[in-house]
């Protein structure tokens, strides 16, 4: 049985003084005019499921203008228990709670992961590689504590190393010590990325075929450390990393930054063997992102044994009828979904009948 989110309440949070909603086990549609706060609500659910939000807000950005403290509560039931997650923002700090006990952002993860799909993601294929890396890492962080730990440790090592590379003269002895930290943490992160990406690839191929049956999807990881794939061992990755780092030494000193490692890698998509970043039409790019999101939901379910929540923020207006059907067809059944929209016209009667429709300006159906 799935664990389901049941009630969401916010107090002095972003645009809201007070707002409470009971979430449907199946589909909740939040409808309202522009700027009424729909995305704010999606963000609040993301904060209490993933421990972070796509907007990467500071504590004070979450507090309603003119107020001192905000609070968000999200309750869950399932597997014979009830769990309450909360976030309190006050005096510039975010404090997370699980069943009343103080915890960290990581304490929000692992219960019900959430997969967000918003208009910003639609051009993920064409944007800078950092967006594709973030898509993979943000997902990995929710599934595995070790992955989360590696992402933050690796970022710290790169930051530290970059500040040494900016010194003049570069303190070589210190840099050597950080080289080893970079290689060890980076190789471990690469192993995690490759195995997660392979799981996504396998699911994404099927999801893409369901949307575009005549096109063949490819997905690959291109690393700045060298040619690696899911079968490359950790020791081999470390060796390649060491070699790439030593070849890059001069370039790094000249530019004052770390130029090889997972923070510079590329995740690339192809359709019928052609690089999607250069050749895919806008419709094909959207199908790729849709297939990626569906694959994330499947992989989360493969790993955790239950489906995540799907948060669809204003994407229906961006997709054509065929792609809208692909996504609503996918959520049939076991995936608890929250959808925001300004217009119910994007939904079939079948979906509206199944869903709980909540008008953000107060009225509920
Ligand atoms: N800390 C805050 N205090 C007060 N208002 C805030 C705060 N943070 C955001 N807002 C307001 O919330 C509103 C935006 O809300 P949101 O992005 O959720 O709208 P939306 O309903 O998703 O709109 P759209 O349909 O246009 O995407 C803006 O008017 C913004 O000024």
């Amino acid at each position: 049985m799935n664990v389901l989110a049941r009630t969401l309440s916010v107090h002095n949070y972003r645009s809201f003084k007070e707002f409470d909603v009971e979430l449907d086990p199946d589909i909740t549609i939040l409808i309202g005019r522009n700027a009424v706060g729909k995305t704010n609500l999606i963000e609040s659910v993301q904060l209490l499921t993933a421990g972070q939000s796509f907007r990467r807000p500071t504590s004070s950005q979450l507090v309603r203008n003119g107020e001192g403290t905000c609070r968000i509560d999200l309750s869950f039931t399932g597997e014979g228990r009830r769990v309450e997650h909360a976030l309190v923002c006050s005096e510039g700090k975010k404090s997370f709670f699980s069943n009343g006990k103080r915890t960290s952002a990581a304490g929000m993860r692992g219960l019900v992961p959430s997969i967000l799909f918003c208009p910003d993601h639609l051009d993920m294929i064409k944007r800078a590689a950092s967006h594709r890396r973030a898509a993979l890492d943000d997902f990995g962080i929710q599934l595995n504590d070790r992955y989360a730990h590696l992402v933050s440790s690796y970022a710290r090592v790169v930051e530290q190393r970059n500040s040494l590379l900016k010194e003049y003269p570069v303190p070589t002895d210190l840099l050597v010590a950080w080289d080893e930290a970079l290689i060890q943490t980076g190789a471990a992160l690469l192993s995690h990325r490759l195995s997660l990406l392979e799981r996504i690839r396998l699911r994404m191929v099927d999801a893409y075929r369901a949307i575009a049956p005549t096109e063949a999807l490819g997905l690959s990881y291109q690393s700045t450390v060298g040619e690696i794939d899911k079968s490359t061992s950790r020791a081999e990755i470390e060796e390649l990393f060491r070699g790439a780092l030593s070849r890059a030494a001069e370039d790094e000193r000249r530019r004052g930054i770390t130029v090889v490692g997972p923070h510079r890698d590329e995740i690339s998509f192809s359709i019928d063997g052609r690089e999607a970043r250069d050749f895919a039409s806008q419709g094909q790019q959207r199908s790729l992102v849709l297939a990626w999101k569906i694959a994330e939901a499947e992989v989360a379910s493969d790993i955790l044994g239950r489906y995540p929540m799907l948060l669809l923020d204003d994407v229906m207006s961006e997709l054509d009828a065929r792609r809208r059907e692909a996504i609503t067809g996918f959520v049939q059944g076991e995936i608890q979904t929250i959808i925001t929209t300004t217009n119910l016209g994007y939904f079939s009667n079948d979906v509206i009948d199944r869903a709980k429709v909540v008008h953000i300006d107060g009225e509920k159906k």
Side-chain angles (χ1 to χ4, degrees):
M1 195 182 125
N2 263 354
V3 176
L4 296 171
R6 292 291 181 180
T7 54
L8 170 70
S9 331
V10 302
H11 173 73
N12 286 339
Y13 163 72
R14 290 219 185 254
S15 50
F16 294 94
K17 178 90 195 145
E18 298 287 346
F19 185 81
D20 300 283
V21 60
E22 269 193 34
L23 300 168
D24 194 81
D26 188 3
I27 300 175
T28 305
I29 298 178
L30 304 175
I31 178 164
R33 62 188 152 73
N34 289 122
V36 79
K38 301 181 296 298
T39 303
N40 295 342
L41 292 175
I42 290 283
E43 180 182 31
S44 71
V45 173
Q46 208 191 14
L47 283 163
L48 293 194
T49 48
Q52 63 180 14
S53 106
F54 69 104
R55 287 170 166 161
R56 306 283 192 265
T58 61
S59 168
S60 42
Q61 286 167 336
L62 296 175
V63 178
R64 189 168 195 251
N65 290 344
E67 303 290 344
T69 304
C70 87
R71 182 176 176 107
I72 312 170
D73 290 275
L74 184 62
S75 71
F76 303 85
T77 57
E79 297 176 348
R81 61 194 169 135
R82 183 181 169 89
V83 180
E84 317 256 352
H85 281 181
L87 169 63
V88 175
C89 299
S90 176
E91 295 174 355
K93 280 205 208 99
K94 290 187 207 130
S95 308
F96 289 93
F97 297 86
S98 179
N99 285 344
K101 280 204 190 116
R102 183 75 189 266
T103 181
S104 60
M108 301 292 98
R109 301 197 279 259
L111 183 64
V112 182
S114 57
I115 291 170
L116 172 73
F117 188 10
C118 67
D120 221 31
H121 295 147
L122 286 167
D123 41 353
M124 161 182 141
I125 308 296
K126 290 240 168 177
R127 291 171 89 180
S130 59
H131 292 274
R132 292 178 289 287
R133 291 193 300 263
L136 183 64
D137 288 345
D138 285 353
F139 181 52
I141 283 168
Q142 284 203 73
L143 297 179
N144 182 311
D145 288 345
R146 173 88 184 128
Y147 198 126
H149 173 73
L150 286 169
V151 168
S152 56
S153 310
Y154 182 75
R156 270 198 306 277
V157 174
V158 171
E159 198 182 314
Q160 196 61 43
R161 214 174 160 270
N162 285 351
S163 64
L164 291 177
L165 284 165
K166 284 186 177 64
E167 284 183 29
Y168 187 80
V170 172
T172 306
D173 290 357
L174 269 177
L175 192 66
V176 168
W178 284 100
D179 283 358
E180 213 34 50
L182 186 83
I183 292 165
Q184 300 289 330
T185 329
L189 177 58
L190 281 170
S191 290
H192 276 70
R193 273 193 185 167
L194 288 168
S195 70
L196 183 59
L197 193 70
E198 178 58 11
R199 281 176 176 271
I200 292 180
R201 191 186 66 78
L202 291 171
R203 289 298 197 169
M204 195 177 164
V205 165
D206 289 341
Y208 191 78
R209 195 178 300 122
I211 303 166
T214 59
E215 297 171 1
L217 163 84
L219 175 57
S220 66
Y221 190 88
Q222 289 151 12
S223 180
T224 45
V225 310
E227 263 194 43
I228 54 173
D229 63 27
K230 61 179 192 311
S231 61
T232 318
S233 71
R234 259 287 274 292
E236 287 168 326
I237 299 177
E238 285 178 16
E239 218 28 62
L240 285 167
F241 208 147
R242 209 163 273 120
L245 204 57
S246 109
R247 283 191 298 281
E250 211 174 292
D251 191 24
E252 287 197 320
R253 279 165 194 252
R254 199 175 54 246
R255 294 165 66 186
I257 50 165
T258 304
V259 299
V260 291
H263 64 298
R264 308 279 289 191
D265 291 352
E266 174 63 286
I267 294 165
S268 100
F269 299 85
S270 67
I271 296 174
D272 294 333
R274 300 200 330 160
E275 180 58 51
R277 204 170 170 205
D278 302 324
F279 291 104
S281 69
Q282 199 191 49
Q284 285 173 319
Q285 289 176 53
R286 285 171 180 209
S287 297
L288 285 170
V289 180
L290 186 56
W292 172 279
K293 296 290 172 182
I294 291 173
E296 280 191 358
E298 299 279 19
V299 170
S301 152
D302 294 341
I303 292 176
L304 302 173
R306 57 175 111 98
Y307 274 110
M309 273 180 100
L310 204 53
L311 308 174
L312 305 179
D313 186 26
D314 209 14
V315 281
M316 291 307 188
S317 58
E318 303 286 340
L319 301 175
D320 62 14
R322 192 163 56 94
R323 292 183 183 90
R324 281 204 297 271
E325 258 168 46
I327 202 155
T328 49
F330 175 70
V331 303
Q332 301 268 4
E334 289 184 278
I335 303 192
Q336 187 177 23
T337 305
I338 304 179
I339 308 177
T340 70
T341 188
T342 50
N343 184 351
L344 282 183
Y346 296 121
F347 301 87
S348 66
N349 287 340
D350 180 41
V351 171
I352 294 174
D353 288 346
R354 268 173 57 200
K356 171 172 179 170
V357 179
V358 179
H359 292 261
I360 299 294
D361 37 338
E363 259 181 83
K364 292 180 191 177
K365 179 191 132 182

